[in-house]
Amino acid sequence: MPKTNSCISMMAAHTRSHEMHIKCLGAALGSVLSRSIASNHRLPPQADEASLYVHWPYCLKRCSYCNFNKYIPRNDNHAVMTACLQKETQTLLQLSQVSRISSVFFGGGTPSLAQPSTIAAVLETVSEHACLSDEAEVTLEVNPTPAGKASLKDFTLAGVNRFSVGIQSLNDDHLRTLGRDHDSQHALWTVSEARTLCPGRVSVDVMFALPGQSVKSWESELEKLMPVCDDHVSLYQLTLERGTQLFKPVDSGELSVPGDDVTAVMYNTARRVLEKAGFRQYEVSNFAKNNAVSEHNIGYWKGRQYIGVGPGAHGRFVARAVGGVQREARTQTLEPDVWIREVQRHGHGTRRRIQLDHRGLLEEVLVMGLRMNEGITQQHWELFSPEDDLQQIFGMSEKVQEFQAGGLLILNERGLRCSWEGLALLDSILPTMLLELEMFFKKLYTSRKTER
């Protein structure tokens, strides 16, 4: 039987969605053997549009659990950062030759520490080089401190029309343990102000499996959250990595965190509380009512192109301006000072480029698509793989049939998706699915060699 899912900890909404979706993808793909078949050199679908992620790397302090790419600013460099974000945005938009940007997400770090004029300048650059509709989703991640709350209106005037508020917890003891620089009252004030400015377009991030947290206290916290939150909730499990401030006391036993079985109960408890409050789960970690889904994150999960700008940002797009026909996985230089020098010198700070062959692209479509409760429809899969459908690849697999018999996976004429129970065990299902995809391509490669 598959073990309890930790994939829910790997991808909360928004910035965590961006950074952790890369980690989730990397972890899932890491168990698969090296690629063995070349691309068919056809442009991936929707190559003329993309979403844009902009990374603001600075925070006032580092939280005790955080291992994201963020830095404490040593000086006021807003003007330099603004100019470099604009320059890299221009360079990568021209490189991709996309004609339309479908959504923009400002993450970090703490992008609400950026000046609203920086947000406005980046959006203006986008509009100069691609179509950015007035209705396009433009999200800003907000840290709920008094300083952050004061400028929310200025950010809406700059072009932001959706906020993602990282409240993390409504328990002040837990917030202190996490090293957050706000308390529960600050969080409630910020959510209230954000809802006034962008009604129906405010998301909150909450964490579970915290030190000292019980199922009962977690449920109580969620019940307290439901009346005050807006139409979108992202929840994610605390995972501690070596090198974070909180890792040592937990590892030594000074602080205790819930075990896997309790964590699984917490996750399913949250799903039930959210459903009772009118929220529909549309992805492993994300819940919405009134159809207030995150269009930006849906782009990730549906395998669409996205351009990553700023220190440490990731992207997936076709570099059409230089004759590219395959999608590239791109990573920008991590360290802000180095990134700034590279952008000033070269127009961008791309540190790594990896071409995704046909199988590599399908692996990403599979890993990301199974995160959604709707899964991967046959029509969606055919956009990326018109020759080989889901039934051909997975239908004869004994392991997949076991997942189906166990009520975890559904494969039919509609497509491939996890059941309610299967979503909670996704990280145990994915390695098998990736291995089946690999074996299919190996057989295909062997048969083609034999035909020659």
Side-chain angles (χ1 to χ4, degrees), residues 206-397:
V206 286
M207 300 175 69
F208 67 100
L210 307 180
Q213 191 176 48
S214 66
V215 173
K216 186 176 181 180
S217 67
W218 168 235
E219 186 170 7
S220 174
E221 194 171 334
L222 286 169
E223 297 285 2
K224 184 179 176 183
L225 177 66
M226 290 302 98
V228 298
C229 69
D230 199 42
D231 289 352
H232 194 281
V233 175
S234 298
L235 57 91
Y236 57 104
Q237 177 187 334
L238 174 67
T239 52
L240 294 174
E241 299 193 26
R242 197 174 295 275
T244 59
Q245 186 182 336
L246 198 53
F247 178 85
K248 191 172 182 180
V250 170
D251 190 51
S252 67
E254 181 184 341
L255 290 175
S256 63
V257 294
D260 287 347
D261 291 345
V262 175
T263 296
V265 174
M266 285 179 165
Y267 176 58
N268 286 329
T269 296
R271 297 167 86 186
R272 292 189 179 97
V273 169
L274 285 160
E275 183 179 7
K276 184 179 176 183
F279 286 86
R280 178 182 69 87
Q281 182 174 19
Y282 69 100
E283 191 267 347
V284 171
S285 302
N286 288 277
F287 303 76
K289 59 183 178 181
N290 300 320
N291 201 35
V293 298
S294 169
E295 296 294 343
H296 185 84
N297 287 336
I298 283 178
Y300 294 149
W301 302 321
K302 291 203 170 182
R304 297 170 186 159
Q305 286 198 128
Y306 59 96
I307 297 169
V309 168
H314 294 260
R316 296 284 192 281
F317 65 87
V318 180
R320 293 198 290 171
V322 291
V325 293
Q326 293 173 254
R327 189 176 293 184
E328 293 180 343
R330 302 173 72 99
T331 307
Q332 308 310 102
T333 293
L334 285 171
E335 210 281 324
D337 291 345
V338 179
W339 173 83
I340 286 170
R341 288 197 297 271
E342 291 179 358
V343 174
Q344 290 172 334
R345 188 176 304 150
H346 307 295
H348 66 90
T350 302
R351 177 56 58 94
R352 187 177 64 167
R353 297 165 47 208
I354 299 174
Q355 285 197 337
L356 296 174
D357 63 13
H358 181 54
R359 190 181 114 202
L361 188 57
L362 290 185
E363 287 172 351
E364 295 203 349
V365 172
L366 178 68
V367 168
M368 304 312 291
L370 283 178
R371 297 188 62 85
M372 297 183 293
N373 70 332
E374 71 175 34
I376 307 163
T377 64
Q378 294 284 6
Q379 291 86 348
H380 181 66
W381 184 261
E382 285 171 9
L383 289 174
F384 299 89
S385 178
E387 297 89 1
D388 309 304
D389 65 30
L390 290 164
Q391 197 69 45
Q392 284 177 275
I393 297 171
F394 300 108
M396 300 303 293
S397 163

Side-chain angles (χ1 to χ4, degrees), residues 17-153:
S17 186
H18 180 80
E19 292 203 11
M20 300 310 282
H21 117 262
I22 300 298
K23 291 186 180 182
C24 189
L25 198 57
L29 299 182
S31 62
V32 182
L33 300 177
S34 59
R35 312 208 191 307
S36 59
I37 189 165
S39 166
N40 55 9
H41 296 291
R42 183 178 55 247
L43 280 174
Q46 297 175 311
D48 61 338
E49 71 173 62
S51 58
L52 176 70
Y53 173 82
V54 183
H55 190 76
W56 181 266
Y58 300 115
C59 287
L60 291 178
K61 60 175 291 191
R62 181 174 286 274
C63 299
S64 61
Y65 60 93
C66 179
N67 71 331
F68 292 135
N69 181 44
K70 56 179 63 175
Y71 300 83
I72 311 302
R74 293 188 296 272
N75 49 48
D76 183 359
N77 65 347
H78 280 275
V80 174
M81 277 297 295
T82 300
C84 287
L85 288 172
Q86 286 184 280
K87 183 61 178 175
E88 186 168 68
T89 297
Q90 175 185 335
T91 300
L92 298 185
L93 283 173
Q94 290 174 337
L95 182 64
S96 69
Q97 292 188 342
V98 296
S99 59
R100 176 177 175 267
I101 291 295
S102 55
S103 64
V104 183
F105 194 99
F106 292 91
T110 308
S112 53
L113 292 177
Q115 294 175 353
S117 58
T118 296
I119 306 301
V122 172
L123 293 176
E124 183 179 347
T125 300
V126 173
S127 295
E128 288 172 355
H129 296 89
C131 175
L132 179 66
S133 164
D134 290 341
E135 286 74 46
E137 182 185 274
V138 179
T139 304
L140 178 80
E141 192 174 62
V142 175
N143 191 25
T145 60
K149 173 180 175 292
S151 61
L152 290 188
K153 184 175 182 180

